[in-house]
Every structure is written in structure tokens, then in C-alpha cells.
Amino acid sequence: MSAGCARWILSRTARAVCGGSQGYLTPGSRFPIPCERSNIIASSWRWSPFSTAVEDTEQTPAPKKKNKHDPKAHATINAVGRKIPHREIQVISETGENLGTMHRADVIRILDQQGLKLVLLSERKDPPTYRLMSGKQIHEEQLKLREKQKAKAAPLQVKELTFSSGIGAHDLSTKMKQVESWLEKKNHVRLTLRSGRGRPADNLDTTLEQIVQQMEMMVGFVSKPKTIRDGHAAMCILRPPSAKELSQNKKNKDETSQDDDSTSRSTESETPIPPAAGDTDATEGSIQQGSDGNKTFS
């Protein structure tokens, strides 16, 4: 074997043993020669599109997006269960009584003993406020919230109706029925009463109020009758009655009917009962006049 071949074999062996970062010794040299070529090949293979090697540098995970506060997050009522996140909380009883600040262990004991559930009312207070509720109460509150959300979601419509003060009774009755149908559909109604031709424009607001009072159904006012257009017209805005107004009206009607019944009963008790016709005849027939002129009763 020639000396050139031996040097070539030794150089290849040294490259394989030393790796990419270490150098190798050539015959006759005392200092290692860095293996630049091997480093270039290794780096080119590392960045090759066909390489499956995992990169040494760890990829930093992308920052998580912060969830924005949803104003409708607490729009529903749900029980928190036994996992109370706060150590001490303000507790409201099932009947609405303030029980003061309690430890969560005591609250859990009450839940187990009375079979109630815990509902968060306000988390911003210090301490947070919770309420003890039964399953039936939670269901009723959820139904109320759904009704409120439906009422808010539905767009409010304002219907308009204008008529003259000289309108006929039949036409006025037809228009008032139309107003009642709008109110039953939860719409607001703007009524405008204008003065007729050749008719005085006095007290149009009073006339409009009397027309509204003659309606068969109960109504509420967004704005009561008032004069507009320099007194030549009157305007008011009607709305459907609230549940509170309906209950109060029903209560007043019940009280009025009870008063009428009691008045009629008292009147009947004070009226004297006349004697029967047969009793009168018998009494008159029992009276006889004697020979001496004195009246005797048989």
C-alpha cells in the first residue's frame, strides 16, 4: 500500500471518530485541524427538507387569549353545588332573611340538612353574596329571566292612530277595537285627537282621556293626554298594563264586589217583612163585636 493511500485512510478514520466539532490529526502534524467540512455537511443535513431530526430549540407556546367579560354571563341562575370557591360568604336564606357571614363548611351542612341549593347573587361584594334556594324557586327564577330576555329581544313597535273630534260613534268604536288588538300584541299606541272643522278646540285632552276610559280593556299610559299644536290637537301614548297593575285592578274589583254584597245583605235585613195575606184575613176574622159594644177576640 502506498503512503498516499495510508494517509487517506487515516484521515477518513479520524474524521469519523472525532465528529463534527472536534478536529483530527494528520500524519506529521501536532495540532488538530478542525473538521469544517463535516460541520457544513452536518448542518446542511440538519436543515434539509428531507430531515426528520427534531430541533434542539424548544418552541414557546403562543399566549392564550384572555376571555373578555361577557355581560350576559350571569344572566341565568344555576346552583354552584358543593364546590364553593370562597372560604367565607354572605348567605341569604330561602325566605330572603340575611343569615350573615358563614363559613363554607357550615353552608354545606345546611344544604345537606335542608335539601337546598346555593345560588350566587353577587361575586363583586366582599364577602360574595349567595342565597339558599329550593329547586322550585330556581326553576321559577329561570322562567322569569327567560321572559325578560324575550321581552328585551322583541323590538318595541309604536302604532299611531289619528282621528277627529267629530268622528261618529260607530267609527270610534271600530278604531278603539283596533287599539285594543295592538295593545294585546304588546305594542304601544300613539293616539292623536285633532279638532274637527268648524268645531271648538277646547278641552281636547279631557275628551281624549274620556275616550280612553271608555275602552273595555285596562291600559297604561306612557304619556298622559296633553294638548299639542297650540291646542288644536291632543296626544297620548298607551301601553299594555303591567302584571302589577293587573293584579291591583283585580284586587280592587274583588273588594268592590264584596262591599256591594255586604251592602245588599244589610239592606235586606233592615227591610220589614209584610204579613202574609192569609194571616191578615185570619186576624181580621177573629175580631167580633159583642152585644155590649165591646170587641172580643175569639
Side-chain angles (χ1 to χ4, degrees):
M1 181 182 295
S2 62
C5 291
R7 285 198 299 271
W8 183 82
I9 292 172
L10 289 174
S11 64
R12 299 293 298 180
T13 304
R15 290 179 183 179
V17 172
C18 70
S21 60
Q22 297 179 357
Y24 66 94
L25 295 174
T26 57
S29 62
R30 297 181 179 180
F31 302 98
I33 300 175
C35 304
E36 297 178 357
R37 184 177 180 183
S38 61
N39 292 337
I40 295 172
I41 295 174
S43 62
S44 63
W45 171 253
R46 186 180 298 114
W47 295 103
S48 172
F50 302 100
S51 175
T52 58
V54 181
E55 296 182 2
D56 296 337
T57 59
E58 296 182 357
Q59 295 181 355
T60 57
K64 296 181 179 180
K65 295 182 179 180
K66 295 182 179 180
N67 295 329
K68 295 182 179 180
H69 178 68
D70 188 4
K72 298 182 180 179
H74 299 288
T76 58
I77 295 180
N78 294 317
V80 298
R82 298 172 61 89
K83 296 181 179 180
I84 304 174
H86 308 92
R87 184 180 181 85
E88 292 184 349
I89 61 175
Q90 186 82 13
V91 182
I92 307 298
S93 69
E94 182 183 3
T95 58
E97 182 183 358
N98 189 359
L99 301 179
T101 304
M102 300 178 64
H103 194 275
R104 57 187 173 188
D106 298 331
V107 178
I108 293 174
R109 189 180 302 108
I110 295 176
L111 296 178
D112 295 338
Q113 291 176 355
Q114 301 182 10
L116 299 176
K117 298 181 180 180
L118 193 65
V119 176
L120 176 64
L121 295 183
S122 177
E123 194 175 6
R124 296 181 180 181
K125 294 184 179 180
D126 187 21
T129 306
Y130 289 78
R131 181 176 179 179
L132 299 171
M133 300 180 70
S134 62
K136 183 179 179 180
Q137 287 178 331
I138 293 177
H139 180 67
E140 291 176 354
E141 292 295 331
Q142 288 176 347
L143 291 179
K144 290 180 182 179
L145 286 176
R146 290 175 186 174
E147 292 297 330
K148 289 182 179 179
Q149 290 176 358
K150 287 181 180 179
K152 291 181 179 179
L156 180 62
Q157 295 185 2
V158 180
K159 303 292 185 178
E160 295 188 6
L161 185 63
T162 303
F163 53 94
S164 173
S165 59
I167 187 172
H170 178 72
D171 294 339
L172 180 62
S173 177
T174 303
K175 290 184 179 296
M176 290 300 102
K177 288 181 179 179
Q178 180 64 45
V179 172
E180 292 176 359
S181 66
W182 285 337
L183 293 174
E184 289 175 355
K185 296 178 181 179
K186 307 301 180 182
N187 296 321
H188 289 187
V189 182
R190 185 196 305 274
L191 292 180
T192 303
L193 177 64
R194 55 182 176 79
S195 60
R197 294 180 180 179
R199 292 181 176 271
D202 298 336
N203 301 327
L204 289 178
D205 52 347
T206 306
T207 305
L208 181 58
E209 186 174 0
Q210 292 175 355
I211 292 174
V212 173
Q213 291 177 355
Q214 292 175 2
M215 294 176 60
E216 296 181 358
M217 68 175 297
M218 180 183 177
V219 297
F221 286 101
V222 177
S223 64
K224 292 188 175 182
K226 59 181 180 180
T227 56
I228 57 175
R229 301 174 188 172
D230 297 333
H232 293 284
M235 184 271 296
C236 70
I237 301 177
L238 306 180
R239 60 169 176 79
S242 62
K244 184 177 180 180
E245 291 173 345
L246 290 174
S247 61
Q248 185 66 28
N249 186 35
K250 184 179 179 181
K251 184 178 179 181
N252 295 337
K253 286 183 178 180
D254 294 340
E255 292 177 354
T256 304
S257 61
Q258 291 178 1
D259 294 340
D260 294 340
D261 293 341
S262 60
T263 304
S264 61
R265 289 175 184 176
S266 61
T267 304
E268 291 176 359
S269 61
E270 292 176 359
T271 303
I273 301 175
D279 297 341
T280 306
D281 295 340
T283 305
E284 293 177 352
S286 62
I287 302 174
Q288 297 179 359
Q289 187 173 3
S291 59
D292 54 356
N294 296 326
K295 295 181 181 179
T296 60
F297 295 91
S298 58

